[in-house]
């Protein structure tokens, strides 16, 4: 069994999102996803990984800014997606850079892929568990612009976006689990990756899926539960 195993079902860290919005197929205010797509998936880890569709990646035409945009403030409270993730994951009360409380300055964050503690918001970056480039090549290139922007700003599942150490985020870049794994909590990472792929209907290439299966077979066979976007 691989060290660092953890449950990867929705758990207490999942972002707040009303049940009504999920049922209606709304990911975030202003970012609508077809209602019929809002289905629920639940299966053991080893079943879930084998259910991933396999297809070669097609990365031609990738342009992150053009096709995915940037952090949004969808509820218009002046806190963008980065700030919302920092506040959701803070282990201590946050402070802000101004009286408007738009930008987080300090708090306490434990980055899961190295178990390091940070007190300055500037010390961490918000990582897409499935990198944006990976998503593009795994199916997002055929999505609508609205769906790609929704993926980029996904606050509907706490496994999609996380505060991580900048150095690890740089080391990971756009790599999948076949090419990069975090130093610790590897089983949690694998479960989160699979959950995000299922949530967004993304495919896996053959090398990626083989690596995911190898890891899943060495990890506890926890249940993966996902509301599809």
């Amino acid at each position: 069994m691989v060290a660092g195993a953890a449950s990867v079902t929705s758990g207490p860290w999942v972002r707040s999102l009303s049940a009504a919005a999920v049922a209606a197929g709304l990911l975030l205010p202003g970012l609508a996803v077809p209602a019929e797509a809002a289905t629920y998936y639940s299966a053991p880890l080893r079943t879930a990984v084998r259910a991933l569709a396999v297809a070669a990646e097609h990365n031609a035409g990738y342009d992150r800014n053009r096709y995915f945009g940037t952090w949004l403030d969808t509820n218009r409270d002046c806190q963008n997606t980065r700030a919302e993730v920092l506040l959701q994951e803070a282990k201590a009360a946050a402070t802000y850079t101004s009286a408007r409380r738009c930008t987080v300055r300090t708090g306490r964050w434990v980055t899961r892929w190295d178990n390091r503690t940070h007190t300055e918001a500037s010390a961490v970056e918000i990582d897409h568990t499935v990198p944006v480039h990976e998503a593009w090549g795994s199916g997002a290139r055929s999505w609508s612009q609205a769906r790609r922007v929704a993926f980029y700003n996904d606050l509907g599942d706490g496994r999609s976006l996380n505060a991580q150490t900048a150095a690890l985020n740089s080391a990971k870049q756009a790599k999948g689990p076949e090419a990069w794994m975090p130093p610790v909590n590897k089983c949690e990472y694998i479960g989160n990756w699979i959950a995000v792929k299922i949530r967004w209907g993304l495919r896996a290439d053959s090398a990626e899926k083989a690596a995911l299966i190898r890891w899943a077979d060495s990890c506890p066979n926890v249940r993966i539960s996902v509301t599809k976007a």
Side-chain angles (χ1 to χ4, degrees):
M1 183 181 299
V2 178
S7 173
V8 289
T9 54
S10 296
W13 59 85
V14 174
R15 316 278 178 243
S16 58
L17 184 70
S18 74
V22 171
L26 298 178
L27 181 64
L28 288 170
L31 296 178
V33 187
E36 62 271 17
T39 56
Y40 185 73
Y41 177 89
S42 185
L45 177 67
R46 293 167 204 164
T47 300
V49 68
R50 286 169 170 83
L52 291 174
V54 177
E57 285 188 28
H58 294 286
N59 294 309
Y62 173 72
D63 185 321
R64 181 185 184 114
N65 292 335
R66 178 179 178 183
Y67 291 115
F68 291 87
T70 188
W71 302 133
L72 300 181
D73 174 19
T74 55
N75 62 1
R76 299 182 178 140
D77 65 351
C78 93
Q79 295 168 352
N80 66 12
T81 299
R82 171 181 164 83
E84 298 281 7
V85 174
L86 289 173
L87 292 171
Q88 289 288 339
E89 296 191 353
K91 309 294 185 185
T95 67
Y96 300 86
T97 59
S98 72
R100 289 194 64 209
R101 298 165 65 94
C102 299
T103 304
V104 179
R105 181 189 321 212
T106 65
R108 185 165 65 87
W109 297 274
V110 179
T111 47
R112 289 294 297 157
W113 311 138
D114 58 7
N115 284 342
R116 291 184 57 190
T117 299
H118 312 268
T119 57
E120 297 288 333
S122 60
V124 299
E125 297 178 355
I126 304 305
D127 175 47
H128 288 85
T129 298
V130 173
V132 180
H133 187 271
E134 163 77 24
W136 173 263
S138 301
R141 68 196 298 267
S142 66
W143 292 352
S144 68
Q145 181 74 1
R147 185 168 175 83
R148 287 191 291 261
V149 171
F151 172 86
Y152 194 89
N153 289 271
D154 185 10
L155 294 172
D157 189 308
R159 294 164 290 196
S160 293
L161 298 168
N162 296 104
Q164 299 298 340
T165 306
L168 282 187
N169 202 19
S170 296
K172 174 187 173 185
Q173 296 184 341
K175 300 182 183 76
E178 74 280 9
W180 184 88
M181 286 291 290
V184 300
N185 298 322
K186 292 177 170 66
C187 289
E188 181 182 349
Y189 182 77
I190 287 295
N192 287 2
W193 181 282
I194 293 166
V196 174
K197 286 254 167 162
I198 291 171
R199 173 168 168 78
W200 288 94
L202 294 168
R203 302 180 295 268
D205 65 35
S206 56
E208 173 194 349
K209 185 163 181 178
L212 288 169
I213 289 173
R214 285 195 304 272
W215 280 103
D217 286 350
S218 68
C219 291
N221 198 25
V222 297
R223 180 162 290 274
I224 300 287
S225 298
V226 184
T227 297
K228 294 184 180 182

Short mmCIF file of all heavy atoms in Angstrom, two decimals, residues 77-132:
data_model
loop_
_atom_site.label_atom_id
_atom_site.label_comp_id
_atom_site.label_asym_id
_atom_site.label_seq_id
_atom_site.Cartn_x
_atom_site.Cartn_y
_atom_site.Cartn_z
N ASP A 77 -18.74 39.34 -5.02
CA ASP A 77 -18.44 39.79 -3.65
C ASP A 77 -17.04 40.37 -3.57
O ASP A 77 -16.54 40.61 -2.48
CB ASP A 77 -18.60 38.63 -2.67
CG ASP A 77 -17.59 37.51 -2.89
OD1 ASP A 77 -16.87 37.55 -3.92
OD2 ASP A 77 -17.53 36.59 -2.05
N CYS A 78 -16.41 40.58 -4.73
CA CYS A 78 -15.07 41.13 -4.93
C CYS A 78 -13.96 40.12 -4.66
O CYS A 78 -12.78 40.43 -4.85
CB CYS A 78 -14.82 42.44 -4.16
SG CYS A 78 -14.07 42.29 -2.53
N GLN A 79 -14.31 38.90 -4.27
CA GLN A 79 -13.32 37.83 -4.07
C GLN A 79 -13.37 36.89 -5.28
O GLN A 79 -14.39 36.27 -5.54
CB GLN A 79 -13.60 37.07 -2.78
CG GLN A 79 -13.43 37.91 -1.55
CD GLN A 79 -13.99 37.25 -0.29
OE1 GLN A 79 -14.63 36.21 -0.35
NE2 GLN A 79 -13.75 37.87 0.85
N ASN A 80 -12.25 36.80 -6.00
CA ASN A 80 -12.23 35.93 -7.17
C ASN A 80 -12.00 34.48 -6.76
O ASN A 80 -11.93 34.15 -5.56
CB ASN A 80 -11.20 36.42 -8.20
CG ASN A 80 -9.76 36.31 -7.69
OD1 ASN A 80 -9.48 35.68 -6.68
ND2 ASN A 80 -8.85 36.95 -8.41
N THR A 81 -11.89 33.60 -7.74
CA THR A 81 -11.78 32.17 -7.44
C THR A 81 -10.57 31.87 -6.58
O THR A 81 -10.64 31.05 -5.66
CB THR A 81 -11.72 31.36 -8.75
OG1 THR A 81 -12.93 31.60 -9.50
CG2 THR A 81 -11.59 29.88 -8.48
N ARG A 82 -9.45 32.50 -6.85
CA ARG A 82 -8.27 32.28 -6.01
C ARG A 82 -8.57 32.60 -4.55
O ARG A 82 -8.27 31.81 -3.65
CB ARG A 82 -7.09 33.14 -6.50
CG ARG A 82 -5.90 33.11 -5.53
CD ARG A 82 -4.73 33.97 -5.99
NE ARG A 82 -3.81 34.21 -4.89
CZ ARG A 82 -2.85 33.36 -4.51
NH1 ARG A 82 -2.70 32.22 -5.15
NH2 ARG A 82 -2.07 33.65 -3.49
N ALA A 83 -9.17 33.76 -4.30
CA ALA A 83 -9.49 34.15 -2.93
C ALA A 83 -10.48 33.17 -2.31
O ALA A 83 -10.34 32.81 -1.12
CB ALA A 83 -10.05 35.56 -2.90
N GLU A 84 -11.46 32.72 -3.07
CA GLU A 84 -12.45 31.79 -2.52
C GLU A 84 -11.80 30.47 -2.10
O GLU A 84 -12.12 29.91 -1.05
CB GLU A 84 -13.54 31.51 -3.57
CG GLU A 84 -14.34 32.73 -4.01
CD GLU A 84 -15.41 33.14 -3.01
OE1 GLU A 84 -15.47 32.58 -1.91
OE2 GLU A 84 -16.21 34.04 -3.34
N VAL A 85 -10.87 29.96 -2.91
CA VAL A 85 -10.18 28.72 -2.54
C VAL A 85 -9.34 28.93 -1.30
O VAL A 85 -9.33 28.10 -0.37
CB VAL A 85 -9.31 28.22 -3.72
CG1 VAL A 85 -8.47 27.01 -3.29
CG2 VAL A 85 -10.18 27.84 -4.91
N LEU A 86 -8.61 30.04 -1.23
CA LEU A 86 -7.80 30.32 -0.05
C LEU A 86 -8.66 30.38 1.21
O LEU A 86 -8.29 29.83 2.26
CB LEU A 86 -7.05 31.64 -0.23
CG LEU A 86 -5.90 31.63 -1.25
CD1 LEU A 86 -5.38 33.05 -1.45
CD2 LEU A 86 -4.78 30.70 -0.80
N LEU A 87 -9.81 31.01 1.13
CA LEU A 87 -10.69 31.13 2.30
C LEU A 87 -11.28 29.78 2.68
O LEU A 87 -11.41 29.46 3.86
CB LEU A 87 -11.79 32.15 2.02
CG LEU A 87 -11.31 33.60 1.90
CD1 LEU A 87 -12.43 34.50 1.42
CD2 LEU A 87 -10.76 34.10 3.23
N GLN A 88 -11.64 28.97 1.70
CA GLN A 88 -12.19 27.65 2.00
C GLN A 88 -11.16 26.75 2.66
O GLN A 88 -11.50 25.94 3.52
CB GLN A 88 -12.69 26.99 0.70
CG GLN A 88 -13.94 27.61 0.11
CD GLN A 88 -15.17 27.29 0.93
OE1 GLN A 88 -15.21 26.33 1.69
NE2 GLN A 88 -16.20 28.10 0.77
N GLU A 89 -9.90 26.89 2.30
CA GLU A 89 -8.87 25.97 2.80
C GLU A 89 -8.09 26.52 3.98
O GLU A 89 -7.27 25.80 4.56
CB GLU A 89 -7.91 25.61 1.66
CG GLU A 89 -8.60 24.84 0.54
CD GLU A 89 -7.64 24.24 -0.46
OE1 GLU A 89 -6.42 24.52 -0.39
OE2 GLU A 89 -8.11 23.47 -1.32
N ALA A 90 -8.34 27.76 4.36
CA ALA A 90 -7.60 28.36 5.47
C ALA A 90 -7.88 27.64 6.78
O ALA A 90 -9.03 27.34 7.11
CB ALA A 90 -7.96 29.84 5.60
N LYS A 91 -6.82 27.35 7.52
CA LYS A 91 -6.93 26.70 8.83
C LYS A 91 -6.94 27.70 9.97
O LYS A 91 -7.05 27.32 11.13
CB LYS A 91 -5.75 25.74 9.04
CG LYS A 91 -5.51 24.76 7.91
CD LYS A 91 -6.64 23.77 7.78
CE LYS A 91 -6.33 22.72 6.72
NZ LYS A 91 -7.46 21.80 6.49
N ALA A 92 -6.83 28.97 9.64
CA ALA A 92 -6.89 30.05 10.63
C ALA A 92 -7.54 31.26 9.96
O ALA A 92 -7.59 31.35 8.73
CB ALA A 92 -5.50 30.41 11.13
N ALA A 93 -8.05 32.17 10.76
CA ALA A 93 -8.73 33.34 10.22
C ALA A 93 -7.82 34.11 9.26
O ALA A 93 -6.64 34.34 9.56
CB ALA A 93 -9.18 34.25 11.35
N ALA A 94 -8.37 34.49 8.13
CA ALA A 94 -7.60 35.20 7.12
C ALA A 94 -7.58 36.69 7.40
O ALA A 94 -8.50 37.23 8.01
CB ALA A 94 -8.18 34.94 5.74
N THR A 95 -6.53 37.34 6.95
CA THR A 95 -6.50 38.79 6.90
C THR A 95 -6.45 39.19 5.42
O THR A 95 -6.15 38.37 4.55
CB THR A 95 -5.30 39.39 7.64
OG1 THR A 95 -4.09 39.03 6.95
CG2 THR A 95 -5.24 38.88 9.07
N TYR A 96 -6.72 40.48 5.17
CA TYR A 96 -6.87 40.93 3.80
C TYR A 96 -5.94 42.11 3.53
O TYR A 96 -5.44 42.75 4.45
CB TYR A 96 -8.33 41.34 3.55
CG TYR A 96 -9.29 40.20 3.76
CD1 TYR A 96 -9.80 39.92 5.03
CD2 TYR A 96 -9.69 39.39 2.70
CE1 TYR A 96 -10.68 38.86 5.22
CE2 TYR A 96 -10.57 38.34 2.89
CZ TYR A 96 -11.06 38.08 4.16
OH TYR A 96 -11.91 37.04 4.36
N THR A 97 -5.77 42.40 2.25
CA THR A 97 -4.88 43.49 1.88
C THR A 97 -5.55 44.85 1.95
O THR A 97 -4.88 45.88 1.85
CB THR A 97 -4.35 43.27 0.44
OG1 THR A 97 -5.46 43.21 -0.47
CG2 THR A 97 -3.54 41.98 0.35
N SER A 98 -6.88 44.88 2.10
CA SER A 98 -7.60 46.15 2.20
C SER A 98 -8.89 45.94 2.98
O SER A 98 -9.32 44.80 3.22
CB SER A 98 -7.92 46.71 0.81
OG SER A 98 -8.94 45.94 0.20
N ALA A 99 -9.52 47.04 3.36
CA ALA A 99 -10.77 46.98 4.13
C ALA A 99 -11.90 46.35 3.32
O ALA A 99 -12.87 45.84 3.89
CB ALA A 99 -11.16 48.39 4.58
N ARG A 100 -11.80 46.33 2.01
CA ARG A 100 -12.85 45.72 1.18
C ARG A 100 -12.84 44.20 1.28
O ARG A 100 -13.78 43.55 0.87
CB ARG A 100 -12.70 46.15 -0.28
CG ARG A 100 -13.04 47.60 -0.55
CD ARG A 100 -13.18 47.83 -2.04
NE ARG A 100 -14.31 47.06 -2.59
CZ ARG A 100 -14.37 46.62 -3.84
NH1 ARG A 100 -13.36 46.83 -4.67
NH2 ARG A 100 -15.43 45.95 -4.26
N ARG A 101 -11.75 43.61 1.76
CA ARG A 101 -11.62 42.16 1.96
C ARG A 101 -11.72 41.39 0.64
O ARG A 101 -12.29 40.31 0.57
CB ARG A 101 -12.71 41.67 2.93
CG ARG A 101 -12.62 42.29 4.30
CD ARG A 101 -13.89 42.09 5.10
NE ARG A 101 -14.13 40.68 5.40
CZ ARG A 101 -13.75 40.05 6.52
NH1 ARG A 101 -13.10 40.72 7.46
NH2 ARG A 101 -14.03 38.78 6.71
N CYS A 102 -11.11 41.93 -0.39
CA CYS A 102 -11.13 41.28 -1.70
C CYS A 102 -9.98 40.29 -1.85
O CYS A 102 -10.16 39.20 -2.41
CB CYS A 102 -11.04 42.31 -2.82
SG CYS A 102 -12.41 43.50 -2.83
N THR A 103 -8.80 40.67 -1.40
CA THR A 103 -7.59 39.88 -1.61
C THR A 103 -7.04 39.40 -0.28
O THR A 103 -6.86 40.20 0.65
CB THR A 103 -6.53 40.72 -2.35
OG1 THR A 103 -7.10 41.22 -3.56
CG2 THR A 103 -5.30 39.89 -2.67
N VAL A 104 -6.79 38.11 -0.18
CA VAL A 104 -6.31 37.51 1.06
C VAL A 104 -4.82 37.79 1.22
O VAL A 104 -4.04 37.66 0.27
CB VAL A 104 -6.57 35.99 1.06
CG1 VAL A 104 -6.04 35.34 2.34
CG2 VAL A 104 -8.06 35.70 0.88
N ARG A 105 -4.43 38.16 2.45
CA ARG A 105 -3.02 38.41 2.72
C ARG A 105 -2.39 37.29 3.54
O ARG A 105 -1.37 36.74 3.16
CB ARG A 105 -2.83 39.73 3.47
CG ARG A 105 -1.35 40.01 3.75
CD ARG A 105 -1.11 41.18 4.68
NE ARG A 105 -2.02 42.27 4.43
CZ ARG A 105 -1.71 43.56 4.61
NH1 ARG A 105 -0.52 43.90 5.00
NH2 ARG A 105 -2.61 44.49 4.40
N THR A 106 -3.01 36.96 4.69
CA THR A 106 -2.43 35.94 5.55
C THR A 106 -3.52 34.98 6.03
O THR A 106 -4.71 35.25 5.93
CB THR A 106 -1.73 36.56 6.78
OG1 THR A 106 -2.72 37.21 7.60
CG2 THR A 106 -0.66 37.56 6.38
N GLY A 107 -3.07 33.87 6.59
CA GLY A 107 -3.94 32.84 7.14
C GLY A 107 -3.04 31.67 7.52
O GLY A 107 -1.89 31.87 7.89
N ARG A 108 -3.54 30.47 7.39
CA ARG A 108 -2.69 29.28 7.57
C ARG A 108 -3.20 28.20 6.63
O ARG A 108 -4.37 27.83 6.67
CB ARG A 108 -2.72 28.78 9.02
CG ARG A 108 -1.75 27.62 9.26
CD ARG A 108 -1.52 27.38 10.75
NE ARG A 108 -2.73 26.95 11.42
CZ ARG A 108 -3.12 25.66 11.52
NH1 ARG A 108 -2.40 24.70 10.96
NH2 ARG A 108 -4.23 25.34 12.14
N TRP A 109 -2.30 27.74 5.77
CA TRP A 109 -2.65 26.72 4.78
C TRP A 109 -1.66 25.57 4.86
O TRP A 109 -0.45 25.79 5.01
CB TRP A 109 -2.61 27.30 3.36
CG TRP A 109 -3.62 28.38 3.17
CD1 TRP A 109 -4.92 28.24 2.81
CD2 TRP A 109 -3.43 29.79 3.38
NE1 TRP A 109 -5.56 29.45 2.78
CE2 TRP A 109 -4.67 30.42 3.12
CE3 TRP A 109 -2.33 30.57 3.75
CZ2 TRP A 109 -4.84 31.80 3.22
CZ3 TRP A 109 -2.50 31.94 3.86
CH2 TRP A 109 -3.74 32.54 3.59
N VAL A 110 -2.18 24.36 4.81
CA VAL A 110 -1.34 23.16 4.75
C VAL A 110 -1.50 22.59 3.35
O VAL A 110 -2.58 22.11 2.98
CB VAL A 110 -1.74 22.13 5.81
CG1 VAL A 110 -0.85 20.89 5.70
CG2 VAL A 110 -1.64 22.74 7.21
N THR A 111 -0.45 22.67 2.55
CA THR A 111 -0.51 22.19 1.18
C THR A 111 -0.38 20.66 1.18
O THR A 111 0.58 20.11 1.69
CB THR A 111 0.59 22.85 0.32
OG1 THR A 111 1.84 22.81 1.02
CG2 THR A 111 0.23 24.30 0.05
N ARG A 112 -1.40 20.00 0.59
CA ARG A 112 -1.57 18.56 0.77
C ARG A 112 -0.48 17.72 0.12
O ARG A 112 -0.24 16.60 0.56
CB ARG A 112 -2.93 18.13 0.19
CG ARG A 112 -4.11 18.58 0.99
CD ARG A 112 -4.16 17.92 2.35
NE ARG A 112 -4.32 16.48 2.25
CZ ARG A 112 -3.95 15.61 3.21
NH1 ARG A 112 -3.36 16.07 4.30
NH2 ARG A 112 -4.17 14.32 3.06
N TRP A 113 0.16 18.22 -0.92
CA TRP A 113 1.09 17.36 -1.63
C TRP A 113 2.51 17.43 -1.10
O TRP A 113 3.40 16.76 -1.62
CB TRP A 113 1.05 17.65 -3.13
CG TRP A 113 -0.33 17.69 -3.69
CD1 TRP A 113 -0.83 18.58 -4.60
CD2 TRP A 113 -1.44 16.82 -3.38
NE1 TRP A 113 -2.16 18.33 -4.87
CE2 TRP A 113 -2.56 17.25 -4.13
CE3 TRP A 113 -1.61 15.72 -2.54
CZ2 TRP A 113 -3.81 16.63 -4.07
CZ3 TRP A 113 -2.86 15.10 -2.47
CH2 TRP A 113 -3.93 15.54 -3.22
N ASP A 114 2.71 18.23 -0.04
CA ASP A 114 4.00 18.19 0.67
C ASP A 114 3.84 18.37 2.18
O ASP A 114 4.82 18.34 2.92
CB ASP A 114 4.98 19.24 0.11
CG ASP A 114 4.44 20.66 0.18
OD1 ASP A 114 3.36 20.87 0.78
OD2 ASP A 114 5.10 21.56 -0.36
N ASN A 115 2.58 18.58 2.63
CA ASN A 115 2.28 18.75 4.06
C ASN A 115 3.03 19.92 4.69
O ASN A 115 3.33 19.90 5.88
CB ASN A 115 2.57 17.45 4.85
CG ASN A 115 1.49 16.41 4.63
OD1 ASN A 115 0.38 16.72 4.18
ND2 ASN A 115 1.81 15.16 4.92
N ARG A 116 3.30 20.94 3.91
CA ARG A 116 3.95 22.13 4.44
C ARG A 116 2.89 23.14 4.88
O ARG A 116 1.80 23.21 4.31
CB ARG A 116 4.86 22.77 3.39
CG ARG A 116 6.10 21.94 3.07
CD ARG A 116 6.99 22.69 2.09
NE ARG A 116 7.38 24.00 2.61
CZ ARG A 116 8.00 24.92 1.86
NH1 ARG A 116 8.23 24.70 0.58
NH2 ARG A 116 8.33 26.08 2.39
N THR A 117 3.24 23.94 5.89
CA THR A 117 2.36 24.98 6.41
C THR A 117 2.82 26.34 5.92
O THR A 117 4.02 26.64 5.93
CB THR A 117 2.32 24.95 7.94
OG1 THR A 117 1.82 23.68 8.38
CG2 THR A 117 1.43 26.05 8.49
N HIS A 118 1.88 27.15 5.48
CA HIS A 118 2.17 28.49 4.96
C HIS A 118 1.26 29.50 5.66
O HIS A 118 0.09 29.21 5.92
CB HIS A 118 1.92 28.55 3.46
CG HIS A 118 2.54 27.43 2.70
ND1 HIS A 118 3.79 27.49 2.14
CD2 HIS A 118 2.05 26.18 2.42
CE1 HIS A 118 4.06 26.34 1.53
NE2 HIS A 118 3.02 25.53 1.69
N THR A 119 1.78 30.66 5.93
CA THR A 119 0.98 31.71 6.57
C THR A 119 0.78 32.92 5.68
O THR A 119 -0.07 33.77 5.97
CB THR A 119 1.61 32.15 7.90
OG1 THR A 119 2.95 32.60 7.66
CG2 THR A 119 1.62 31.00 8.91
N GLU A 120 1.53 33.03 4.60
CA GLU A 120 1.38 34.13 3.65
C GLU A 120 0.67 33.61 2.41
O GLU A 120 1.11 32.63 1.80
CB GLU A 120 2.74 34.70 3.26
CG GLU A 120 3.51 35.33 4.41
CD GLU A 120 2.91 36.65 4.86
OE1 GLU A 120 2.27 37.33 4.04
OE2 GLU A 120 3.10 37.00 6.04
N ALA A 121 -0.41 34.26 2.02
CA ALA A 121 -1.14 33.81 0.84
C ALA A 121 -0.26 33.85 -0.41
O ALA A 121 -0.41 33.02 -1.31
CB ALA A 121 -2.38 34.68 0.63
N SER A 122 0.66 34.77 -0.45
CA SER A 122 1.55 34.90 -1.61
C SER A 122 2.49 33.71 -1.76
O SER A 122 3.10 33.53 -2.82
CB SER A 122 2.37 36.19 -1.51
OG SER A 122 3.16 36.19 -0.33
N ALA A 123 2.60 32.87 -0.73
CA ALA A 123 3.50 31.72 -0.77
C ALA A 123 2.89 30.52 -1.48
O ALA A 123 3.59 29.52 -1.72
CB ALA A 123 3.93 31.33 0.64
N VAL A 124 1.59 30.58 -1.78
CA VAL A 124 0.95 29.43 -2.42
C VAL A 124 0.30 29.84 -3.73
O VAL A 124 -0.02 31.01 -3.95
CB VAL A 124 -0.11 28.77 -1.50
CG1 VAL A 124 0.52 28.26 -0.22
CG2 VAL A 124 -1.26 29.73 -1.20
N GLU A 125 0.14 28.86 -4.59
CA GLU A 125 -0.57 29.05 -5.85
C GLU A 125 -1.79 28.16 -5.86
O GLU A 125 -1.85 27.17 -5.12
CB GLU A 125 0.35 28.70 -7.03
CG GLU A 125 1.56 29.60 -7.13
CD GLU A 125 2.49 29.23 -8.28
OE1 GLU A 125 2.23 28.20 -8.94
OE2 GLU A 125 3.48 29.95 -8.49
N ILE A 126 -2.78 28.50 -6.67
CA ILE A 126 -3.96 27.66 -6.80
C ILE A 126 -3.74 26.73 -7.98
O ILE A 126 -3.55 27.16 -9.11
CB ILE A 126 -5.24 28.50 -7.00
CG1 ILE A 126 -5.39 29.51 -5.85
CG2 ILE A 126 -6.45 27.59 -7.09
CD1 ILE A 126 -5.38 28.89 -4.46
N ASP A 127 -3.71 25.45 -7.68
CA ASP A 127 -3.40 24.41 -8.65
C ASP A 127 -4.67 23.76 -9.18
O ASP A 127 -5.55 23.39 -8.40
CB ASP A 127 -2.51 23.35 -7.99
CG ASP A 127 -2.24 22.17 -8.89
OD1 ASP A 127 -1.89 22.39 -10.06
OD2 ASP A 127 -2.37 21.02 -8.42
N HIS A 128 -4.78 23.62 -10.49
CA HIS A 128 -5.81 22.76 -11.08
C HIS A 128 -5.32 21.32 -10.96
O HIS A 128 -4.28 20.97 -11.53
CB HIS A 128 -6.02 23.12 -12.55
CG HIS A 128 -6.72 24.41 -12.77
ND1 HIS A 128 -6.05 25.62 -12.80
CD2 HIS A 128 -8.04 24.70 -12.98
CE1 HIS A 128 -6.92 26.60 -13.01
NE2 HIS A 128 -8.13 26.08 -13.13
N THR A 129 -6.05 20.50 -10.23
CA THR A 129 -5.63 19.10 -10.07
C THR A 129 -5.35 18.47 -11.42
O THR A 129 -4.29 17.87 -11.63
CB THR A 129 -6.71 18.31 -9.31
OG1 THR A 129 -6.87 18.89 -8.01
CG2 THR A 129 -6.33 16.84 -9.17
N VAL A 130 -6.29 18.57 -12.33
CA VAL A 130 -6.06 18.22 -13.73
C VAL A 130 -5.66 19.50 -14.44
O VAL A 130 -6.48 20.42 -14.57
CB VAL A 130 -7.31 17.59 -14.38
CG1 VAL A 130 -7.10 17.40 -15.88
CG2 VAL A 130 -7.64 16.26 -13.71
N PRO A 131 -4.40 19.62 -14.86
CA PRO A 131 -3.94 20.88 -15.44
C PRO A 131 -4.79 21.30 -16.65
O PRO A 131 -5.36 20.46 -17.35
CB PRO A 131 -2.50 20.56 -15.86
CG PRO A 131 -2.09 19.43 -14.98
CD PRO A 131 -3.33 18.62 -14.77
N VAL A 132 -4.83 22.59 -16.89
CA VAL A 132 -5.66 23.12 -17.96
C VAL A 132 -5.22 22.58 -19.33
O VAL A 132 -6.04 22.22 -20.17
CB VAL A 132 -5.64 24.66 -17.93
CG1 VAL A 132 -6.50 25.24 -19.03
CG2 VAL A 132 -6.10 25.17 -16.57
#
